[in-house]
Amino acid sequence: MFQYTLRRLLVAIPTLLLISLVIFLLLGLAPGDPMAQLPLTIPPEVKEKMRQSLGLGDPLMLRYLLWLKQFFWIEPLHVLDTVFGLNLAGDSQRVMSWQSRAPVADIIALRLPQTLWVVGLAYLVGIAIALPIGILSAYRQHSWFDQLGTFLSMIGFSVPTFFTGVVLIVIFSVELHWFPSLYDTTLKVTDWNSFLMQLRQMVLPVMVLALYNASQISRFMRASMLDNLRQDYVRTARANGLSERVVVLVHVLRNSMIPVVTVIAIGVPQIFGGAIITEQVFKVNGIGELLISSIQANDVPMVQTLTFIFAVLIVLFNLVADILYGVLDPRIRYD
């Protein structure tokens, strides 16, 4: 397993380099001017000097190599300096946002907790809902529970998150006044009342994302369970006198989780992409809102860094899914 993981990590290096080059070329060759939103009263020569200060006058490949050095070398050194109080990076130039003139990593670090609070909790809630529904729907196939679960899953997966968010806001915020419609990112949890307020404002965005994730995962869980319930080893286990609980929750569930693990692992980076829309609906000041505002302002360094982080997450969690295969299925050996 160790050798396989090491090989996959080595293969991931050129893959990520190629992805970073494609992203950089697409953003570098795309139309748009970071000076477009500046006042018209600024003279053209001043705008040109500002473009030169941002490095736009340098050759495209030179800017790409500089970004690689900053992302893979200088930024990790700054992280070490911040955590351990060192001075390894010194005054090295970091990846700077064209919009705020601040380091990109610092801005992402400020926005990331808000996204993790909402997205991370929503994904865990979605998994906790999907797995029992999928297991019970498969075990009681064609029952009223299975039909209800299928109906709700199709609705949850088919309806876009921005529409679900608006509907929940109208029902629970406008009509019932149970939960706030907007997410207050300035709220700090200092006591029990502020903690309850934080939970109340997280309910609606978490419900939207959890419903979407649970709808997809529960369908995969049900299909995988149905496929394994018909296998010969299930009949053999029942013939040997094992209880139905042991047969379903130990033997069938473990084998059924193998394809579901792929969906769950690959869905982790996808949920960050889905949160872009949800954060706009509920005004969560997280990574999604940061990406949208950066695209609107032609902030290429910020857009490039965020997009590349999404690509790293996809490659990483694909590796995690492959490793979990060997844990769940003893027949799979990579070494």
Side-chain angles (χ1 to χ4, degrees):
M1 183 69 73
F2 175 76
Q3 294 179 359
Y4 171 78
T5 305
L6 185 60
R7 289 198 304 268
R8 285 291 301 272
L9 289 176
L10 292 177
V11 171
I13 294 176
T15 302
L16 291 175
L17 288 177
L18 179 60
I19 292 174
S20 67
L21 178 60
V22 172
I23 293 174
F24 188 88
L25 292 177
L26 288 176
L27 294 177
L29 299 176
D33 185 5
M35 305 294 133
Q37 296 184 352
L38 294 179
L40 298 177
T41 55
I42 298 180
E45 57 271 14
V46 175
K47 290 185 178 181
E48 184 60 30
K49 290 182 179 179
M50 295 175 67
R51 291 190 185 92
Q52 296 297 327
S53 66
L54 295 177
L56 295 178
D58 299 332
L60 194 62
M61 291 307 300
L62 180 62
R63 288 156 49 193
Y64 171 68
L65 294 176
L66 177 61
W67 179 84
L68 283 181
K69 176 185 175 182
Q70 293 171 341
F71 186 88
F72 287 103
W73 179 253
I74 297 178
E75 292 298 339
L77 291 180
H78 273 278
V79 173
L80 295 176
D81 293 345
T82 303
V83 174
F84 299 104
L86 304 175
N87 189 25
L88 300 175
D91 296 330
S92 301
Q93 182 181 359
R94 305 176 63 183
V95 182
M96 303 296 292
S97 169
W98 292 352
Q99 184 179 13
S100 61
R101 304 298 190 270
V104 168
D106 293 348
I107 301 174
I108 295 176
L110 291 175
R111 300 290 190 94
L112 188 59
Q114 302 292 341
T115 296
L116 291 181
W117 265 103
V118 176
V119 178
L121 182 60
Y123 204 59
L124 293 177
V125 171
I127 295 174
I129 295 174
L131 296 184
I133 292 178
I135 295 171
L136 192 58
S137 296
Y139 187 70
R140 298 183 177 178
Q141 187 182 13
H142 304 310
S143 65
W144 67 267
F145 184 87
D146 182 27
Q147 295 177 1
L148 179 62
T150 302
F151 175 72
L152 294 178
S153 296
M154 294 303 295
I155 292 179
F157 189 70
S158 302
V159 178
T161 54
F162 65 85
F163 181 79
T164 308
V166 173
V167 171
L168 292 182
I169 288 175
V170 172
I171 296 175
F172 294 103
S173 296
V174 179
E175 299 295 334
L176 300 177
H177 303 286
W178 287 1
F179 306 108
S181 60
L182 299 180
Y183 189 93
D184 184 10
T185 55
T186 63
L187 177 65
K188 294 183 179 180
V189 179
T190 56
D191 52 17
W192 180 251
N193 292 330
S194 59
F195 176 73
L196 293 178
M197 180 61 68
Q198 176 69 20
L199 291 180
R200 288 184 68 248
Q201 70 175 0
M202 289 175 60
V203 168
L204 293 184
V206 167
M207 285 176 59
V208 171
L209 293 174
L211 175 62
Y212 181 81
N213 295 320
S215 302
Q216 180 184 22
I217 298 173
S218 64
R219 291 297 88 196
F220 280 95
M221 188 74 246
R222 177 183 181 275
S224 183
M225 285 287 295
L226 285 175
D227 183 59
N228 281 277
L229 283 171
R230 301 188 182 100
Q231 299 297 320
D232 292 337
Y233 74 88
V234 177
R235 288 191 291 269
T236 303
R238 287 169 175 164
N240 288 333
L242 295 179
S243 65
E244 196 68 12
R245 177 186 294 270
V246 174
V247 172
V248 175
L249 297 182
V250 177
H251 298 281
V252 177
L253 179 59
R254 181 172 182 176
N255 291 327
S256 301
M257 284 299 297
I258 296 175
V260 178
V261 163
T262 304
V263 180
I264 295 176
I266 297 178
V268 173
Q270 288 181 352
I271 190 63
F272 279 89
I276 295 175
I277 301 175
T278 307
E279 287 181 5
Q280 290 292 306
V281 173
F282 293 98
K283 303 303 179 183
V284 180
N285 197 23
I287 298 297
E289 194 278 335
L290 177 62
L291 179 60
I292 294 298
S293 62
S294 300
I295 293 175
Q296 294 173 346
N298 292 314
D299 191 351
V300 174
M302 180 65 73
V303 177
Q304 178 181 346
T305 302
L306 289 174
T307 309
F308 185 67
I309 290 176
F310 294 155
V312 172
L313 289 175
I314 293 174
V315 174
L316 175 62
F317 281 97
N318 270 279
L319 174 60
V320 171
D322 289 342
I323 294 175
L324 289 178
Y325 283 163
V327 176
L328 294 173
D329 192 347
R331 297 170 298 179
I332 299 177
R333 289 293 179 265
Y334 295 114
D335 296 333

